[in-house]
Amino acid sequence: VVGIVQSVARPAPYLIYGPPGTGKTVTLAESILQTMFAAGSDKNTKILICAPSNTATDVVVERLAPFVTPREMLRLVAFSRDRSSVPDHIIQYTSFDELENCFITPNPKIIKTYKIVAVTITYGGKLFNQGILDHFTHVFVDEAGHSVESEAIGCLLSATKQSSRTPPVIVLAGDPKQLGPIIRSGISKKFGLEKSLLERLSQMAPYARSKEKDVHGNHYDKRMISKLIHNYRSHPKILDVPNKALYDGDLIAEADITISHRFVNWEHLPKRGFPIIFHGVEGEDMREANSPSWFNPDEAQLVKMYVDLLIRDTRSNRCKPEDIGIITPYHRQVQKIRILLGAHGYSECKVGSVDEFQGSERPVIIISTVRSTVDYISFDQKHKLGFLANEKRFNVAITRAQALLIMIGNPFTLENDPHWKAMIEHTIDGGGYTGADYTKKEQR
């Protein structure tokens, strides 16, 4: 926060590198408030806040709302957005026209009177069309790892102060190790648009991790980047593999024990004290017609079995359906599990793909990996589906869990991926493996 307020990285962007559960949005919000209100702050400061989606933008506005009045902050909303999708306490910060029953864009002169303007990244790139030029002194981009690079750059250009002496302060917050932008065009992927601006910058020398620590014990140049290392979400055992594989072992588990240790003594754990289960199953993956989307009925039944155990067959500390998240990489499996759970009164359990869980958390996460046949892994990689072709999807799936992680899959298929292999071995070592007979690859 100090680095951002002092603008030490300018004209280069300042990165807030926020691994899962480290309070990235809270840090960003605090940086915005300090920039506005800290002693000695410039009274002419004009801040633009951007995020890839309406939901992500609304979250930042919610964080700021207790400290900023509707006279100081404007949440610009697209004309096409439905009024009911905007949280009630955010409406006062928008320009909603009750007579027209729609969101309107105020006159540029009015927009320029606000200290803070919050928009989606797509909207931010169009501000110059509204006559907002050479105006903002600071730009804060949340979930920057999830935004398309060209759109992010659009927010940083014309609408910001065009001065070589005092260029705008640019702050990007996100995690290059989680899901990047969703790009479906093969041509766009070929030319590198699958990589976000945050990820591209994080691979450059000024933002790189040094093997040696500085005098303050930091591996990164604090003038350019801050890596948040205190994880306030997950049980330490759940965090272990992603931390070592993707975050250089830097993360420190500091979640509230009443939340993260809620299931350490659950009676259905293979080993008490170790809140991870890997249920090995050699099921059959199926497809309907020529769809590239797979489903696995055996795994769907196991998901239902664990939901039953958590909600109905637990003596103490029972789960509510809304405490359980079920992640599966294939749309067809999502549909099958939703239908199955809905038929048994569990429709409140959230079932979705990895993309739908980015940025959220649940006390219990159940992962159905679906794929059972080794022959089809190359098919997955070709179609960029599943967890096997993508370490970012693996990372997001595992790190959603706060207190209990249940993985269901074929260990003989999953061991072909180094991250899944490490996760299976971690579970075996901790005593959490159950289901199909399996021994570590090296011991066969």
Side-chain angles (χ1 to χ4, degrees):
V1 173
V2 173
I4 293 165
V5 173
Q6 292 177 347
S7 313
V8 287
R10 192 166 58 177
Y14 191 94
L15 304 191
I16 299 175
Y17 180 0
T22 52
K24 164 178 53 63
T25 304
V26 175
T27 307
L28 187 79
E30 182 61 27
S31 302
I32 294 166
L33 292 170
Q34 293 283 358
T35 300
M36 266 189 72
F37 301 122
S41 59
D42 190 344
K43 297 290 179 272
N44 296 318
T45 294
K46 299 289 183 181
I47 296 171
L48 178 66
I49 298 168
C50 304
S53 65
N54 274 315
T55 307
T57 310
D58 290 345
V59 167
V60 182
V61 173
E62 281 177 340
R63 296 278 185 191
L64 297 173
F67 311 99
V68 183
T69 67
R71 282 187 172 186
E72 295 171 312
M73 178 165 65
L74 172 66
R75 167 71 171 100
L76 277 177
V77 181
F79 169 82
S80 56
R81 189 175 180 190
D82 192 81
R83 160 74 174 79
S84 62
S85 70
V86 181
D88 289 337
H89 48 286
I90 286 179
I91 283 291
Q92 60 180 324
Y93 293 95
T94 68
S95 51
F96 185 74
D97 189 315
E98 297 288 351
L99 290 173
E100 297 288 335
N101 195 32
C102 66
F103 294 99
I104 59 167
T105 302
N107 183 289
K109 287 181 181 176
I110 295 172
I111 294 174
K112 286 182 177 182
T113 63
Y114 289 91
K115 286 188 172 182
I116 299 175
V117 176
V119 292
T120 60
I121 279 178
T122 311
Y123 200 132
K126 299 172 186 170
L127 284 173
F128 66 91
N129 291 340
Q130 321 279 7
I132 311 293
L133 294 158
D134 190 25
H135 177 63
F136 294 105
T137 59
H138 293 69
V139 183
F140 290 84
V141 184
D142 197 15
E143 297 293 351
H146 206 42
S147 57
V148 179
E149 182 174 24
S150 48
E151 288 183 347
I153 289 171
C155 294
L156 311 178
L157 295 177
S158 332
T160 55
K161 277 286 179 191
Q162 307 293 304
S163 164
S164 55
R165 274 182 52 242
T166 53
V169 174
I170 294 164
V171 179
L172 307 178
D175 182 2
K177 300 291 185 184
Q178 292 188 60
L179 297 183
I182 298 166
I183 302 289
R184 293 190 171 88
S185 159
I187 294 171
S188 298
K189 288 178 185 177
K190 180 182 171 185
F191 286 100
L193 281 176
E194 221 172 2
K195 188 179 281 190
S196 66
L197 176 62
L198 178 82
E199 186 176 355
R200 195 178 300 283
L201 286 171
S202 70
Q203 293 168 350
M204 293 181 172
Y207 303 98
R209 185 181 195 273
S210 167
K211 288 181 181 177
E212 305 298 322
K213 291 182 180 180
D214 64 16
V215 290
H216 303 294
N218 298 311
H219 286 284
Y220 293 88
D221 185 344
K222 293 290 259 188
R223 297 170 300 173
M224 306 296 290
I225 179 171
S226 284
K227 182 179 185 180
L228 309 177
I229 59 170
H230 298 279
N231 177 284
Y232 302 105
R233 174 184 295 158
S234 303
H235 188 282
K237 296 294 183 188
I238 293 171
L239 207 57
D240 215 23
V241 172
N243 185 17
K244 288 173 183 168
L246 301 165
Y247 298 108
D248 302 296
D250 290 340
L251 301 188
I252 301 163
E254 290 197 2
D256 181 344
I257 287 179
T258 58
I259 296 169
S260 66
H261 287 57
R262 179 177 161 188
F263 293 99
V264 289
N265 290 312
W266 186 47
E267 65 251 45
H268 300 292
L269 283 175
K271 186 177 178 186
R272 299 270 179 111
F274 187 77
I276 303 176
I277 299 172
F278 190 100
H279 194 121
V281 54
E282 294 184 67
E284 187 180 356
D285 39 19
M286 303 176 179
R287 272 192 299 166
E288 289 169 351
N290 291 321
S291 165
S293 194
W294 296 81
F295 65 96
N296 187 320
D298 296 346
E299 289 192 13
Q301 287 297 333
L302 278 171
V303 168
K304 189 250 174 192
M305 180 196 85
Y306 278 111
V307 172
D308 269 337
L309 290 175
L310 284 158
I311 295 174
R312 291 185 179 160
D313 298 334
T314 297
R315 283 192 296 277
S316 62
N317 204 0
R318 283 188 182 180
C319 253
K320 296 174 185 169
E322 56 268 28
D323 288 343
I324 302 171
I326 295 143
I327 303 177
T328 185
Y330 298 98
H331 182 60
R332 188 68 73 230
Q333 184 79 342
V334 170
Q335 289 177 323
K336 300 283 183 190
I337 293 173
R338 275 184 189 154
I339 292 166
L340 180 63
L341 295 182
H344 290 84
Y346 301 137
S347 53
E348 292 294 306
C349 294
K350 181 176 177 179
V351 187
S353 65
V354 184
D355 305 75
E356 292 172 65
F357 276 87
Q358 169 113 340
S360 67
E361 58 191 27
R362 288 286 187 285
V364 180
I365 288 290
I366 303 173
I367 301 173
S368 167
T369 59
V370 179
R371 303 318 303 276
S372 219
T373 317
V374 178
D375 298 348
Y376 290 131
I377 293 171
S378 59
F379 178 94
D380 267 5
Q381 289 166 340
K382 181 182 171 186
H383 284 270
K384 281 289 182 286
L385 298 171
F387 299 111
L388 276 177
N390 195 322
E391 69 174 23
K392 292 179 179 180
R393 289 182 178 278
F394 165 83
N395 183 28
V396 173
I398 299 294
T399 54
R400 300 309 93 193
Q402 292 174 295
L404 177 62
L405 174 65
I406 301 170
M407 298 162 285
I408 301 168
N410 186 333
F412 297 100
T413 304
L414 295 170
E415 70 180 10
N416 291 287
D417 173 80
H419 298 311
W420 274 107
K421 181 172 180 282
M423 198 72 211
I424 294 165
E425 291 180 355
H426 174 59
T427 311
I428 290 170
D429 293 342
Y433 185 87
T434 186
D437 286 339
Y438 176 79
T439 48
K440 293 180 184 179
K441 206 171 185 178
E442 290 75 16
Q443 294 171 3
R444 271 179 242 150

